[in-house]
Amino acid sequence: MTTTSVSRVFNFSAGPAILPVPVLQQIQDEMMSLPGVGASVLEISHRSKDFDAILDDAKSRIGQLLGMPDTHDVLFLQGGSALQNVMMPMNFLTDKSQTTDYIISGAWSKKSAAEVHRFGNLNVAWDGSDDGFSRVPKQSELKLTPGAAYCHLTSNETIHGVQYHQLPEAGSPLVVDKSSDMFSEPIDVSKYGMIYACAQKNCGVAGVNVLIMDKALLERCDDRLPSYLNYALHSEKGSRFNTPPTFAIYVTGLVCKWLQDEMGGLEAVAKFNRSKAQLLYDVIDGTDGFYIGHAAKEDRSIMNVVFKMADADTDQRFLDEAASNNMTTLKGHRSLGGIRASIYNAMPLEGVQALAQFMKDFAQKNG
Ligand SMILES: Cc1ncc(COP(=O)(O)O)c(C=O)c1O
């Protein structure tokens, strides 16, 4: 991690979230003029050869990082993951009599499922709300539909801190919201029908959604769809059906370059992420119940570490004292309370070490 003379806090925000310092520095260096262009990325046409180079570079780096097969394409869309929740059933359910399976393991997959009824039948293959969304299902618990149009899940539930460490067998194309764990570890892209991720957590800034799409699914997108909402059209136009979020695509390219050149690729990133998460979970497990983790141990997220203390007043004191020690945005989501430490790829080890030490000290003083 490159250091900077500017004073920065350890920012544990769930999103928009921390960016790698070298990426911020490159953005700063190139803001007035991209090398060889003489103008800012903010000022050039999305149809210029200079922007072509930026988009093509981002696309090919994503493909390299993920080891993406030719069967899949990368798309850059707008509207956040919220729009993907609508576009998926709109594009992949070709008539209203079709059924799609949704696995509900937290607030985000629940939101996704809520859009389906407009376009076809929803089968909730599993719903973890009775357990307070503290785990992912076992394969044997899934009630899947034979011949389902697709099966949706959220690989990392950002609010509840629950993550799949093994993908279920769905029996239909797997469509996965990876908004909060994209590029956090290697994946086998051939197992996915579609992946989508809003960039503002682990792969850039707000404004772009990164999609990995099995081209076979594009056959389902027909001409009755409104043009902007048709995946096939975006693929055909190379993510330039209209003006794409140029700056956000540029930043995603820089983040991918950082992951490749400075972090050493996704195997190394996964090792780094697991060791950071372990530091915090070891404190949670080692303080005699002072910290109460939300997720079941085997399904704990390596991106969002969610816990609380015995009462809301102690949580608040924790937040206040952490903030005065330069560790910010640790407040849990308003629906759950408590504490959430988001430790995405760009969070340096020193930030997690500082938080782990703070947690130990706080437990000792208040336990
Ligand atoms: C897992 C997950 N899905 C979807 C979203 C929503 O993303 P957006 O605000 O880009 O629509 C979030 C973000 O907060 C998220 O964490």
Side-chain angles (χ1 to χ4, degrees):
M1 163 70 60
T2 309
T3 50
T4 161
S5 56
V6 177
S7 152
R8 282 170 57 82
V9 293
F10 290 124
N11 170 14
F12 291 93
S13 168
I18 188 167
L19 281 163
V21 168
V23 168
L24 291 171
Q25 283 174 330
Q26 190 168 347
I27 295 169
Q28 188 175 41
D29 290 348
E30 296 181 348
M31 187 46 71
M32 290 298 280
S33 171
L34 284 166
V37 177
S40 169
V41 64
L42 300 172
E43 303 169 303
I44 60 173
S45 164
H46 61 293
R47 306 218 180 266
S48 64
K49 66 174 181 8
D50 295 317
F51 186 72
D52 282 348
I54 289 171
L55 188 139
D56 291 347
D57 183 66
K59 241 176 121 159
S60 69
R61 286 183 186 281
I62 290 170
Q64 288 157 15
L65 269 172
L66 296 176
M68 194 179 78
D70 290 344
T71 45
H72 287 62
D73 192 13
V74 178
L75 297 180
F76 298 109
L77 300 188
Q78 303 189 61
S81 290
L83 182 59
Q84 292 319 307
N85 289 339
V86 178
M87 283 177 73
M88 282 180 289
M90 201 177 202
N91 280 256
F92 299 150
L93 290 166
T94 50
D95 74 69
K96 270 206 135 192
S97 68
Q98 284 189 316
T99 299
T100 172
D101 291 335
Y102 274 60
I103 305 174
I104 303 184
S105 57
W108 290 111
S109 41
K110 192 172 174 187
K111 265 199 174 170
S112 301
E115 299 288 353
V116 172
H117 68 97
R118 295 178 233 284
F119 310 102
N121 303 315
L122 168 70
N123 171 53
V124 175
W126 184 77
D127 183 343
S129 52
D130 285 351
D131 295 331
F133 294 133
S134 58
R135 65 182 185 96
V136 299
K138 294 182 185 61
Q139 181 73 38
S140 58
E141 294 176 290
L142 296 177
K143 299 205 168 32
L144 298 164
T145 310
Y150 64 93
C151 177
H152 177 277
L153 62 88
T154 299
S155 54
N156 183 64
E157 286 284 354
T158 323
I159 293 173
H160 294 90
V162 169
Q163 186 176 26
Y164 288 83
H165 297 296
Q166 200 181 345
L167 279 180
E169 293 288 333
S172 64
L174 207 48
V175 172
V176 177
D177 178 353
K178 282 191 82 63
S179 293
S180 52
D181 65 352
M182 187 73 165
F183 302 143
S184 65
E185 58 189 357
I187 56 168
D188 178 355
V189 173
S190 68
K191 295 208 163 123
Y192 295 79
M194 184 181 108
I195 296 168
Y196 62 103
C198 49
Q200 65 268 21
K201 297 168 194 298
N202 222 12
C203 41
V205 294
V208 71
N209 208 280
V210 178
L211 274 87
I212 312 293
M213 174 75 76
D214 184 342
K215 294 173 201 164
L217 280 176
L218 297 175
E219 314 267 312
R220 299 193 195 175
C221 316
D222 68 34
D223 291 344
R224 282 169 304 169
L225 293 163
S227 46
Y228 188 83
L229 302 178
N230 185 330
Y231 287 129
L233 203 58
H234 286 287
S235 172
E236 193 187 310
K237 303 284 182 191
S239 299
R240 269 162 296 196
F241 166 70
N242 66 336
T243 313
T246 51
F247 177 72
I249 293 170
Y250 158 77
V251 178
T252 291
L254 297 186
V255 168
C256 291
K257 181 170 175 289
W258 173 77
L259 288 168
Q260 291 178 301
D261 298 353
E262 300 202 32
M263 297 300 286
L266 296 190
E267 287 284 354
V269 169
K271 218 168 133 204
F272 178 60
N273 286 331
R274 281 195 283 267
S275 65
K276 285 188 297 183
Q278 197 58 50
L279 281 178
L280 300 184
Y281 288 124
D282 281 349
V283 179
I284 291 171
D285 293 339
T287 38
D288 249 355
F290 181 79
Y291 295 113
I292 307 155
H294 182 76
K297 280 190 184 174
E298 58 280 15
D299 301 328
R300 284 170 162 174
S301 169
I302 59 166
M303 296 278 95
N304 311 95
V305 178
V306 176
F307 58 96
K308 62 181 181 180
M309 282 149 273
D311 56 74
D313 286 348
T314 315
D315 291 344
Q316 191 54 53
R317 263 190 305 114
F318 179 99
L319 292 168
D320 294 342
E321 287 183 33
S324 59
N325 283 282
N326 279 339
M327 288 171 270
T328 65
T329 36
L330 280 159
K331 195 174 169 57
H333 189 267
R334 59 192 175 280
S335 61
L336 202 62
I339 315 294
R340 168 174 54 175
S342 297
I343 49 173
Y344 298 122
N345 292 342
M347 172 57 68
L349 182 60
E350 301 78 55
V352 179
Q353 285 170 331
L355 178 59
Q357 189 57 50
F358 172 78
M359 287 170 69
K360 282 185 208 161
D361 295 345
F362 190 84
Q364 207 162 37
K365 275 192 277 165
N366 296 279

